[in-house]
Coordinates of all heavy atoms in Angstrom, one line a residue:
M21 N 102.5 101.7 78.3 CA 102.8 101.2 79.5 C 101.8 101.5 80.6 O 101.4 100.6 81.5 CB 104.2 101.7 80.0 CG 105.3 101.2 79.2 SD 107.1 101.9 79.4 CE 106.9 102.7 80.9
A22 N 101.3 102.7 80.6 CA 100.2 103.1 81.6 C 99.0 102.3 81.4 O 98.4 101.9 82.4 CB 100.0 104.6 81.5
I23 N 98.5 102.1 80.2 CA 97.3 101.4 79.9 C 97.5 99.9 80.3 O 96.6 99.3 80.9 CB 96.9 101.6 78.4 CG1 96.4 103.0 78.2 CG2 95.7 100.5 78.2 CD1 96.0 103.3 76.9
N24 N 98.7 99.4 80.1 CA 98.9 98.0 80.5 C 98.9 97.8 82.0 O 98.4 96.9 82.6 CB 100.3 97.5 80.1 CG 100.3 97.3 78.5 OD1 99.2 97.1 77.9 ND2 101.5 97.3 77.9
K25 N 99.4 98.9 82.8 CA 99.3 98.8 84.2 C 97.9 98.9 84.7 O 97.4 98.2 85.6 CB 100.0 100.1 84.9 CG 101.5 100.0 84.8 CD 102.1 99.1 85.8 CE 103.6 99.2 85.8 NZ 104.1 98.2 86.7
A26 N 97.0 99.7 84.0 CA 95.6 99.8 84.4 C 94.9 98.5 84.1 O 94.1 98.0 84.9 CB 95.0 101.0 83.6
A27 N 95.2 97.8 82.9 CA 94.5 96.6 82.5 C 94.9 95.4 83.4 O 94.2 94.5 83.6 CB 95.0 96.3 81.1
A28 N 96.1 95.5 84.1 CA 96.6 94.5 85.0 C 96.0 94.6 86.4 O 96.2 93.8 87.2 CB 98.1 94.5 85.0
N29 N 95.3 95.8 86.7 CA 94.8 96.0 88.0 C 93.3 95.5 88.1 O 92.5 96.1 87.4 CB 94.9 97.5 88.3 CG 94.6 97.8 89.7 OD1 93.5 97.5 90.1 ND2 95.4 98.4 90.4
P30 N 93.0 94.5 88.9 CA 91.7 93.9 89.0 C 90.6 95.0 89.3 O 89.5 95.0 88.8 CB 91.7 92.8 90.0 CG 93.2 92.5 90.0 CD 94.0 93.7 89.7
A31 N 91.0 95.9 90.2 CA 90.0 97.0 90.7 C 89.7 97.9 89.5 O 88.5 98.4 89.4 CB 90.6 97.8 91.8
V32 N 90.6 98.2 88.6 CA 90.3 99.1 87.5 C 89.4 98.4 86.5 O 88.4 98.9 86.0 CB 91.7 99.5 86.8 CG1 91.4 100.2 85.4 CG2 92.5 100.4 87.7
V33 N 89.8 97.1 86.2 CA 89.0 96.3 85.3 C 87.6 96.2 85.8 O 86.6 96.3 85.0 CB 89.6 94.9 85.1 CG1 88.7 94.0 84.3 CG2 91.0 95.1 84.4
K34 N 87.4 96.0 87.1 CA 86.0 95.8 87.7 C 85.2 97.2 87.6 O 84.1 97.2 87.2 CB 86.1 95.4 89.2 CG 84.8 95.3 89.8 CD 84.9 94.8 91.2 CE 83.6 94.6 91.9 NZ 83.7 94.3 93.3
A35 N 85.9 98.3 87.9 CA 85.3 99.6 87.9 C 84.9 100.0 86.5 O 83.8 100.6 86.3 CB 86.2 100.7 88.4
L36 N 85.6 99.7 85.5 CA 85.3 100.0 84.1 C 84.5 99.0 83.3 O 84.0 99.2 82.2 CB 86.7 100.2 83.3 CG 87.6 101.4 83.7 CD1 88.8 101.5 82.9 CD2 86.8 102.7 83.8
G37 N 84.3 97.7 84.0 CA 83.6 96.7 83.4 C 84.3 95.9 82.3 O 83.8 95.1 81.6
G38 N 85.7 96.1 82.3 CA 86.5 95.4 81.4 C 87.9 96.1 81.3 O 88.0 97.1 81.9
P39 N 88.8 95.5 80.5 CA 90.1 96.3 80.3 C 89.9 97.6 79.8 O 89.0 97.9 78.9 CB 90.9 95.4 79.4 CG 90.1 94.1 79.3 CD 88.7 94.4 79.7
P40 N 90.7 98.7 80.2 CA 90.6 100.0 79.7 C 91.0 100.1 78.2 O 91.9 99.4 77.8 CB 91.5 100.8 80.6 CG 92.4 99.8 81.1 CD 91.7 98.5 81.2
R41 N 90.2 100.9 77.5 CA 90.5 101.1 76.0 C 90.9 102.6 75.9 O 90.1 103.4 76.5 CB 89.3 100.7 75.2 CG 89.0 99.3 75.1 CD 87.8 99.1 74.2 NE 86.8 100.1 74.1 CZ 85.7 100.2 74.9 NH1 85.5 99.3 75.8 NH2 84.9 101.2 74.8
E42 N 91.9 102.9 75.2 CA 92.3 104.3 75.0 C 91.2 105.0 74.2 O 90.7 104.4 73.2 CB 93.5 104.3 74.3 CG 94.2 105.7 74.1 CD 95.5 105.7 73.4 OE1 96.2 104.7 73.5 OE2 95.8 106.6 72.6
R43 N 90.7 106.1 74.7 CA 89.8 107.0 73.9 C 90.5 107.8 72.9 O 91.7 107.8 72.8 CB 89.0 107.7 74.9 CG 88.1 106.8 75.7 CD 87.3 107.5 76.8 NE 86.4 108.5 76.3 CZ 86.0 109.5 77.0 NH1 86.3 109.6 78.3 NH2 85.2 110.4 76.5
W44 N 89.8 108.7 72.2 CA 90.3 109.5 71.1 C 91.5 110.3 71.3 O 92.4 110.3 70.5 CB 89.1 110.3 70.6 CG 89.5 110.9 69.3 CD1 89.7 110.3 68.1 CD2 89.8 112.3 69.2 NE1 90.0 111.3 67.1 CE2 90.1 112.5 67.7 CE3 89.8 113.4 69.9 CZ2 90.4 113.7 67.2 CZ3 90.1 114.6 69.4 CH2 90.4 114.8 68.0
L45 N 91.6 111.0 72.4 CA 92.7 112.0 72.5 C 93.6 111.9 73.7 O 93.2 111.7 74.8 CB 92.0 113.4 72.6 CG 92.9 114.7 72.6 CD1 93.7 114.7 71.2 CD2 92.1 115.9 72.8
V46 N 94.9 111.8 73.5 CA 95.9 111.8 74.5 C 96.5 113.1 74.5 O 96.9 113.7 73.5 CB 97.0 110.7 74.2 CG1 98.1 110.8 75.2 CG2 96.4 109.3 74.1
T47 N 96.7 113.7 75.7 CA 97.2 115.1 75.8 C 98.5 115.0 76.7 O 98.7 114.0 77.4 CB 96.3 116.0 76.4 OG1 95.9 115.6 77.7 CG2 95.0 116.2 75.5
G48 N 99.3 116.1 76.6 CA 100.4 116.1 77.5 C 101.7 116.6 76.7 O 101.6 117.2 75.7
N49 N 102.9 116.2 77.2 CA 104.1 116.6 76.5 C 105.1 115.5 76.7 O 105.1 114.7 77.5 CB 104.6 117.9 77.0 CG 104.8 117.8 78.5 OD1 105.6 117.0 79.0 ND2 104.2 118.7 79.3
L50 N 106.0 115.5 75.6 CA 107.1 114.5 75.6 C 108.4 115.3 75.1 O 108.3 116.1 74.2 CB 106.8 113.5 74.5 CG 107.9 112.5 74.1 CD1 108.2 111.6 75.3 CD2 107.5 111.7 72.9
H51 N 109.4 115.1 76.0 CA 110.7 115.8 75.7 C 111.8 114.8 75.6 O 111.8 113.9 76.4 CB 111.1 116.8 76.8 CG 110.1 117.9 77.0 ND1 110.1 119.0 76.2 CD2 109.0 118.0 77.9 CE1 109.1 119.8 76.6 NE2 108.4 119.2 77.6
T52 N 112.7 115.0 74.6 CA 113.8 114.1 74.5 C 115.0 115.0 74.7 O 114.9 116.3 74.6 CB 113.9 113.3 73.2 OG1 113.8 114.3 72.1 CG2 112.7 112.4 73.0
R53 N 116.2 114.5 75.0 CA 117.4 115.3 75.2 C 117.6 116.3 74.0 O 117.6 115.9 72.9 CB 118.5 114.4 75.4 CG 119.8 115.2 75.8 CD 121.1 114.4 75.9 NE 121.0 113.1 76.0 CZ 122.0 112.3 76.4 NH1 123.2 112.9 76.7 NH2 121.8 111.0 76.6
T54 N 117.9 117.5 74.4 CA 118.3 118.5 73.4 C 119.7 119.0 73.7 O 120.3 119.7 72.9 CB 117.3 119.6 73.3 OG1 117.2 120.2 74.6 CG2 115.9 119.1 72.8
S55 N 120.2 118.7 74.9 CA 121.6 119.2 75.3 C 122.1 118.2 76.3 O 121.5 117.4 76.8 CB 121.6 120.6 75.8 OG 121.0 120.6 77.1
K56 N 123.4 118.3 76.5 CA 124.1 117.4 77.5 C 123.7 117.6 78.9 O 123.8 116.8 79.7 CB 125.6 117.6 77.3 CG 126.2 117.1 76.0 CD 127.7 117.3 76.1 CE 128.2 116.9 74.7 NZ 129.7 117.1 74.6
N57 N 123.1 118.8 79.2 CA 122.7 119.1 80.6 C 121.3 118.7 80.9 O 120.9 118.8 82.0 CB 122.8 120.6 80.8 CG 124.2 121.1 80.7 OD1 125.2 120.4 81.0 ND2 124.4 122.4 80.3
R58 N 120.5 118.1 80.0 CA 119.1 117.7 80.2 C 119.1 116.2 80.3 O 119.9 115.5 79.8 CB 118.3 118.2 79.1 CG 118.2 119.7 79.0 CD 117.2 120.2 78.1 NE 115.9 119.8 78.5 CZ 114.8 120.1 77.8 NH1 114.8 120.9 76.8 NH2 113.6 119.6 78.3
S59 N 118.0 115.7 81.0 CA 117.8 114.3 81.1 C 117.5 113.7 79.6 O 117.1 114.5 78.7 CB 116.6 114.0 81.9 OG 115.5 114.4 81.5
P60 N 117.7 112.4 79.5 CA 117.5 111.8 78.2 C 116.1 111.9 77.7 O 115.9 111.8 76.5 CB 118.0 110.4 78.4 CG 118.8 110.4 79.6 CD 118.3 111.5 80.4
G61 N 115.1 112.0 78.6 CA 113.7 112.1 78.2 C 112.8 112.2 79.3 O 113.1 111.7 80.4
H62 N 111.7 112.8 79.1 CA 110.7 113.1 80.1 C 109.3 113.2 79.4 O 109.2 113.9 78.4 CB 111.0 114.4 80.9 CG 110.0 114.7 82.0 ND1 110.1 114.1 83.2 CD2 108.9 115.4 82.0 CE1 109.0 114.5 83.9 NE2 108.3 115.4 83.2
A63 N 108.3 112.6 80.0 CA 107.0 112.6 79.4 C 106.0 112.8 80.6 O 106.1 112.3 81.6 CB 106.7 111.4 78.6
R64 N 104.9 113.6 80.3 CA 103.8 113.7 81.1 C 102.5 113.7 80.3 O 102.3 114.5 79.4 CB 103.9 115.0 81.9 CG 102.6 115.3 82.7 CD 102.8 116.4 83.7 NE 103.7 115.7 84.8 CZ 104.1 116.4 85.8 NH1 103.9 117.6 86.0 NH2 104.9 115.8 86.7
L65 N 101.8 112.6 80.5 CA 100.6 112.4 79.6 C 99.3 112.2 80.4 O 99.3 111.7 81.5 CB 100.8 111.1 78.7 CG 102.1 111.1 77.9 CD1 102.2 109.7 77.2 CD2 102.0 112.2 76.8
K66 N 98.2 112.6 79.7 CA 96.9 112.3 80.2 C 96.2 111.4 79.1 O 96.0 111.9 78.0 CB 96.1 113.6 80.5 CG 96.7 114.4 81.6 CD 95.9 115.6 81.9 CE 96.6 116.5 82.9 NZ 95.9 117.7 83.2
I67 N 95.7 110.2 79.6 CA 95.2 109.3 78.6 C 93.7 109.0 79.1 O 93.6 108.5 80.1 CB 96.0 108.0 78.5 CG1 97.5 108.3 78.3 CG2 95.4 107.1 77.6 CD1 98.4 107.2 78.7
R68 N 92.8 109.4 78.2 CA 91.4 109.1 78.6 C 91.1 107.6 78.2 O 91.5 107.2 77.1 CB 90.5 110.0 77.9 CG 90.7 111.4 78.3 CD 89.6 112.4 77.8 NE 89.9 113.8 78.2 CZ 89.7 114.3 79.3 NH1 89.2 113.6 80.3 NH2 90.0 115.6 79.5
V69 N 90.4 106.9 79.1 CA 90.2 105.5 78.9 C 88.7 105.2 79.1 O 88.0 106.0 79.8 CB 91.1 104.6 79.8 CG1 92.6 104.7 79.3 CG2 90.9 104.9 81.2
A70 N 88.2 104.1 78.6 CA 86.8 103.7 78.8 C 86.8 102.2 78.8 O 87.6 101.5 78.2 CB 85.9 104.3 77.7
G71 N 85.7 101.7 79.5 CA 85.3 100.3 79.4 C 83.8 100.3 79.3 O 83.1 101.3 79.2
P72 N 83.2 99.1 79.2 CA 81.7 99.0 79.0 C 80.9 99.6 80.1 O 79.8 100.1 79.8 CB 81.5 97.5 79.0 CG 82.8 96.8 78.7 CD 83.9 97.8 79.2
R73 N 81.5 99.7 81.3 CA 80.7 100.3 82.4 C 81.2 101.7 83.0 O 80.6 102.2 83.9 CB 80.5 99.3 83.6 CG 79.7 98.2 83.2 CD 79.3 97.3 84.4 NE 80.5 97.1 85.2 CZ 80.8 95.9 85.9 NH1 79.9 95.0 85.9 NH2 81.9 95.8 86.6
G74 N 82.3 102.2 82.4 CA 82.8 103.4 83.0 C 83.9 104.0 82.2 O 84.3 103.5 81.2
K75 N 84.2 105.3 82.6 CA 85.4 106.0 82.0 C 86.3 106.5 83.0 O 86.0 106.6 84.2 CB 84.7 107.2 81.2 CG 83.9 106.9 80.1 CD 83.3 108.1 79.5 CE 82.3 107.8 78.4 NZ 81.7 108.9 77.8
G76 N 87.5 106.9 82.6 CA 88.5 107.4 83.6 C 89.5 108.1 82.8 O 89.6 108.2 81.5
K77 N 90.5 108.6 83.6 CA 91.7 109.4 83.0 C 92.9 108.9 83.6 O 93.0 109.0 84.9 CB 91.5 110.9 83.1 CG 92.6 111.7 82.6 CD 92.4 113.2 82.7 CE 92.1 113.6 84.1 NZ 92.0 115.1 84.2
I78 N 93.9 108.4 82.9 CA 95.2 108.0 83.5 C 96.1 109.2 83.3 O 96.2 109.8 82.2 CB 95.7 106.8 82.7 CG1 94.8 105.6 82.9 CG2 97.1 106.5 83.2 CD1 95.2 104.3 82.0
E79 N 96.7 109.6 84.3 CA 97.8 110.6 84.3 C 99.1 109.9 84.6 O 99.2 109.2 85.7 CB 97.5 111.7 85.3 CG 96.2 112.5 85.0 CD 95.9 113.7 85.8 OE1 96.7 114.6 85.7 OE2 94.8 113.6 86.5
T80 N 100.1 110.1 83.8 CA 101.3 109.4 84.0 C 102.5 110.3 83.7 O 102.4 111.2 82.9 CB 101.4 108.2 83.1 OG1 102.5 107.4 83.5 CG2 101.4 108.5 81.7
T81 N 103.6 110.0 84.4 CA 104.9 110.7 84.2 C 105.9 109.6 84.0 O 105.9 108.6 84.7 CB 105.3 111.6 85.4 OG1 104.2 112.6 85.6 CG2 106.6 112.4 85.2
A82 N 106.8 109.8 83.0 CA 107.8 108.8 82.8 C 109.1 109.5 82.5 O 109.2 110.7 82.0 CB 107.4 107.9 81.6
E83 N 110.2 108.8 82.7 CA 111.5 109.2 82.4 C 112.2 108.2 81.6 O 112.0 107.0 81.8 CB 112.3 109.5 83.7 CG 111.8 110.7 84.5 CD 112.6 110.9 85.7 OE1 113.6 110.3 86.0 OE2 112.2 111.9 86.5
K84 N 113.1 108.6 80.7 CA 114.0 107.7 80.0 C 115.2 107.5 80.7 O 116.0 108.5 81.0 CB 114.2 108.2 78.6 CG 114.7 107.1 77.6 CD 114.6 107.6 76.2 CE 115.0 106.6 75.2 NZ 114.9 107.0 73.8
R85 N 115.5 106.2 81.1 CA 116.7 105.9 81.9 C 117.5 104.8 81.1 O 116.8 103.7 80.9 CB 116.4 105.5 83.3 CG 115.7 106.5 84.1 CD 115.3 106.1 85.5 NE 114.5 107.1 86.2 CZ 113.8 106.7 87.3 NH1 113.7 105.5 87.7 NH2 113.1 107.7 87.9
A86 N 118.7 104.9 80.9 CA 119.5 103.9 80.2 C 118.8 103.4 79.0 O 118.7 102.2 78.7 CB 119.8 102.8 81.1
G87 N 118.2 104.3 78.3 CA 117.6 104.0 77.0 C 116.2 103.4 77.1 O 115.5 103.0 76.1
Q88 N 115.6 103.2 78.3 CA 114.2 102.6 78.5 C 113.4 103.6 79.3 O 113.8 104.3 80.2 CB 114.4 101.3 79.4 CG 115.2 100.3 78.8 CD 114.6 99.7 77.6 OE1 113.4 99.4 77.6 NE2 115.4 99.4 76.6
W89 N 112.1 103.7 78.9 CA 111.1 104.5 79.5 C 110.7 103.8 80.8 O 110.4 102.6 80.8 CB 110.0 104.8 78.6 CG 110.2 105.8 77.6 CD1 110.7 105.5 76.3 CD2 110.3 107.3 77.7 NE1 110.9 106.7 75.6 CE2 110.7 107.8 76.5 CE3 110.1 108.1 78.7 CZ2 110.8 109.1 76.2 CZ3 110.2 109.4 78.5 CH2 110.6 110.0 77.3
V90 N 110.6 104.6 81.9 CA 110.2 104.1 83.2 C 109.1 105.0 83.7 O 109.3 106.2 83.7 CB 111.4 104.1 84.2 CG1 111.0 103.6 85.6 CG2 112.5 103.2 83.6
L91 N 108.0 104.4 84.2 CA 106.9 105.2 84.7 C 107.3 105.6 86.1 O 107.8 104.8 86.9 CB 105.6 104.4 84.8 CG 105.0 103.9 83.5 CD1 103.8 103.1 83.8 CD2 104.6 105.1 82.7
T92 N 107.2 106.9 86.4 CA 107.6 107.4 87.8 C 106.3 107.7 88.6 O 106.3 107.8 89.8 CB 108.5 108.6 87.7 OG1 107.9 109.6 86.9 CG2 109.8 108.2 87.1
E93 N 105.2 108.0 87.8 CA 103.9 108.3 88.5 C 102.9 107.8 87.5 O 103.0 107.8 86.3 CB 103.6 109.8 88.7 CG 104.5 110.5 89.6 CD 104.3 111.9 89.7 OE1 103.1 112.4 89.4 OE2 105.2 112.7 90.0
C94 N 101.8 107.1 88.0 CA 100.7 106.7 87.2 C 99.4 106.4 88.1 O 99.4 105.6 89.0 CB 101.1 105.3 86.6 SG 100.1 104.7 85.3
T95 N 98.5 107.3 87.8 CA 97.2 107.2 88.6 C 96.0 107.2 87.6 O 96.2 107.7 86.4 CB 97.0 108.4 89.5 OG1 97.0 109.6 88.8 CG2 98.1 108.4 90.6
I96 N 95.0 106.6 88.0 CA 93.7 106.6 87.2 C 92.6 107.3 88.1 O 92.6 107.1 89.3 CB 93.3 105.3 86.7 CG1 91.9 105.4 85.9 CG2 93.0 104.3 87.9 CD1 91.6 104.2 85.1
T97 N 91.9 108.2 87.5 CA 90.8 108.9 88.2 C 89.6 108.5 87.4 O 89.4 108.6 86.2 CB 90.9 110.4 88.2 OG1 92.2 110.8 88.8 CG2 89.8 111.1 88.9
F98 N 88.6 107.9 88.2 CA 87.4 107.4 87.6 C 86.4 108.6 87.4 O 86.1 109.4 88.3 CB 86.7 106.3 88.4 CG 87.7 105.1 88.5 CD1 88.5 104.9 89.7 CD2 87.8 104.2 87.5 CE1 89.3 103.8 89.8 CE2 88.7 103.2 87.6 CZ 89.4 102.9 88.7
A99 N 85.7 108.6 86.2 CA 84.8 109.7 85.9 C 83.5 109.6 86.8 O 83.0 110.8 87.1 CB 84.5 109.7 84.5
D100 N 83.0 108.5 87.1 CA 81.7 108.5 87.8 C 81.8 108.9 89.2 O 80.9 109.6 89.7 CB 81.1 107.0 87.8 CG 82.0 106.0 88.5 OD1 83.2 106.3 88.8 OD2 81.5 104.9 88.9
D101 N 82.9 108.7 90.0 CA 83.0 109.2 91.4 C 84.1 110.0 91.7 O 84.2 110.5 92.8 CB 82.8 107.9 92.3 CG 84.0 107.0 92.1 OD1 85.0 107.3 91.4 OD2 84.0 105.9 92.7
G102 N 85.0 110.2 90.8 CA 86.2 111.1 91.1 C 87.2 110.4 91.8 O 88.2 111.1 92.2
N103 N 87.1 109.2 92.3 CA 88.1 108.5 93.1 C 89.4 108.3 92.2 O 89.3 107.9 91.0 CB 87.6 107.1 93.6 CG 86.6 107.3 94.7 OD1 86.7 108.3 95.4 ND2 85.8 106.3 94.9
A104 N 90.5 108.4 92.8 CA 91.8 108.2 92.1 C 92.5 107.0 92.8 O 92.3 106.7 94.0 CB 92.7 109.4 92.3
M105 N 93.2 106.2 91.9 CA 94.0 105.1 92.3 C 95.4 105.1 91.8 O 95.6 105.4 90.6 CB 93.3 103.8 91.9 CG 94.0 102.6 92.2 SD 93.1 101.1 91.4 CE 91.5 101.3 92.0
N106 N 96.4 104.9 92.7 CA 97.8 104.8 92.2 C 98.0 103.4 91.5 O 97.6 102.4 92.0 CB 98.7 104.9 93.4 CG 100.2 104.8 93.0 OD1 100.5 104.8 91.8 ND2 101.0 104.9 94.0
L107 N 98.5 103.4 90.3 CA 98.6 102.2 89.6 C 100.2 101.6 89.7 O 100.4 100.5 89.1 CB 98.4 102.4 88.1 CG 97.0 102.8 87.8 CD1 96.8 103.1 86.3 CD2 96.0 101.7 88.2
L108 N 101.0 102.3 90.3 CA 102.3 101.8 90.6 C 102.5 101.3 91.9 O 101.9 101.7 92.9 CB 103.4 102.9 90.4 CG 103.5 103.6 89.0 CD1 104.5 104.6 89.0 CD2 103.8 102.5 88.0
P109 N 103.3 100.1 92.1 CA 103.4 99.5 93.4 C 104.2 100.6 94.3 O 105.1 101.3 93.8 CB 104.3 98.3 93.2 CG 104.9 98.5 91.8 CD 104.0 99.5 91.1
T110 N 103.8 100.7 95.6 CA 104.5 101.5 96.5 C 105.5 100.8 97.2 O 105.3 99.6 97.5 CB 103.5 102.1 97.5 OG1 102.8 101.0 98.2 CG2 102.4 103.0 96.8
A111 N 106.7 101.4 97.4 CA 107.8 100.7 98.1 C 107.5 100.7 99.6 O 106.9 101.6 100.1 CB 109.1 101.5 97.8
D112 N 107.9 99.6 100.2 CA 107.8 99.5 101.6 C 108.8 100.5 102.3 O 109.8 100.8 101.7 CB 108.2 98.1 102.1 CG 107.2 97.0 101.7 OD1 106.0 97.4 101.5 OD2 107.5 95.9 101.5
P113 N 108.4 101.1 103.4 CA 109.2 102.1 104.0 C 110.5 101.4 104.5 O 110.5 100.2 104.7 CB 108.5 102.6 105.2 CG 107.3 101.7 105.3 CD 107.1 100.9 104.0
D114 N 111.6 102.1 104.6 CA 112.8 101.5 105.1 C 112.7 101.0 106.4 O 112.0 101.6 107.2 CB 113.9 102.6 105.1 CG 114.4 103.1 103.7 OD1 114.2 102.3 102.7 OD2 114.8 104.2 103.6
P115 N 113.3 99.8 106.7 CA 113.2 99.3 108.1 C 113.9 100.2 109.0 O 114.8 100.9 108.7 CB 113.9 97.9 108.0 CG 114.7 98.0 106.7 CD 114.1 99.0 105.8
P116 N 113.4 100.2 110.3 CA 114.0 101.1 111.3 C 115.5 100.6 111.5 O 115.8 99.5 111.5 CB 113.2 100.9 112.5 CG 112.3 99.7 112.3 CD 112.3 99.4 110.8
I117 N 116.3 101.6 111.8 CA 117.7 101.4 112.1 C 117.9 101.3 113.5 O 117.4 102.1 114.3 CB 118.6 102.5 111.5 CG1 118.4 102.6 110.0 CG2 120.0 102.3 111.9 CD1 119.1 103.7 109.4
S118 N 118.5 100.1 113.9 CA 118.6 99.9 115.4 C 119.6 101.0 115.9 O 120.6 101.3 115.4 CB 119.3 98.5 115.7 OG 119.5 98.4 117.0
Q119 N 119.2 101.5 117.1 CA 120.1 102.4 117.8 C 120.9 101.8 118.9 O 121.5 102.5 119.8 CB 119.3 103.6 118.4 CG 118.5 104.4 117.4 CD 119.4 105.1 116.4 OE1 120.4 105.6 116.8 NE2 119.0 105.0 115.1
A120 N 121.0 100.4 119.0 CA 121.7 99.8 119.9 C 123.1 100.1 119.8 O 123.7 100.2 118.7 CB 121.5 98.2 119.8
P121 N 123.9 100.2 120.9 CA 125.3 100.5 120.9 C 126.1 99.4 120.3 O 125.8 98.2 120.5 CB 125.7 100.7 122.3 CG 124.6 100.1 123.1 CD 123.4 100.1 122.3
A122 N 127.1 99.7 119.6 CA 127.9 98.7 119.0 C 128.7 98.0 120.0 O 129.1 98.5 121.1 CB 129.0 99.3 118.0
Q123 N 129.0 96.7 119.9 CA 129.7 95.8 120.9 C 131.1 95.6 120.5 O 131.5 95.5 119.4 CB 128.9 94.6 121.0 CG 127.6 94.8 121.4 CD 127.0 94.0 122.6 OE1 127.8 93.3 123.2 NE2 125.8 94.2 123.0

């Protein structure tokens, strides 16, 4: 899911010179439910990626909700300049609440 998010981002594809490819080693942890008091699943992964013109590292956190994995955090950091980019859409802030008196 995280690599698909990166591949769908034109800025990532441009920086790497093409769609990101997973490199040799993925690190992190994955937990599934072991008791009734724990969430159904949680994962935190670091995925090294590369393209023809650059390399980077995707760091992602996901939770299993209603049987489906959902990304809760997903960023890529480019190796050449250290710049990081959020790969998840950011929610618009809540609209202001009117303080006008009720009529």
Side-chain angles (χ1 to χ4, degrees):
M21 290 173 20
I23 291 176
N24 289 342
K25 288 282 186 192
N29 187 305
V32 171
V33 173
K34 182 178 179 183
L36 298 179
R41 295 181 325 271
E42 186 177 329
R43 291 175 58 204
W44 186 72
L45 185 62
V46 174
T47 60
N49 57 58
L50 171 69
H51 299 279
T52 58
R53 183 190 337 197
T54 57
S55 73
K56 291 181 182 179
N57 297 330
R58 295 187 62 176
S59 67
H62 179 82
R64 177 164 284 175
L65 302 173
K66 293 180 182 178
I67 307 162
R68 297 192 185 282
V69 294
R73 290 192 312 217
K75 297 177 183 177
K77 177 175 58 176
I78 297 173
E79 295 185 63
T80 188
T81 303
E83 293 181 4
K84 195 170 188 181
R85 299 178 184 161
Q88 299 291 318
W89 285 97
V90 176
L91 296 177
T92 56
E93 296 177 25
C94 191
T95 60
I96 185 168
T97 303
F98 298 102
D100 63 341
D101 59 11
N103 285 335
M105 178 186 304
N106 183 5
L107 297 174
L108 296 180
T110 56
D112 292 332
D114 292 332
I117 298 172
S118 172
Q119 298 296 321
Q123 305 227 2

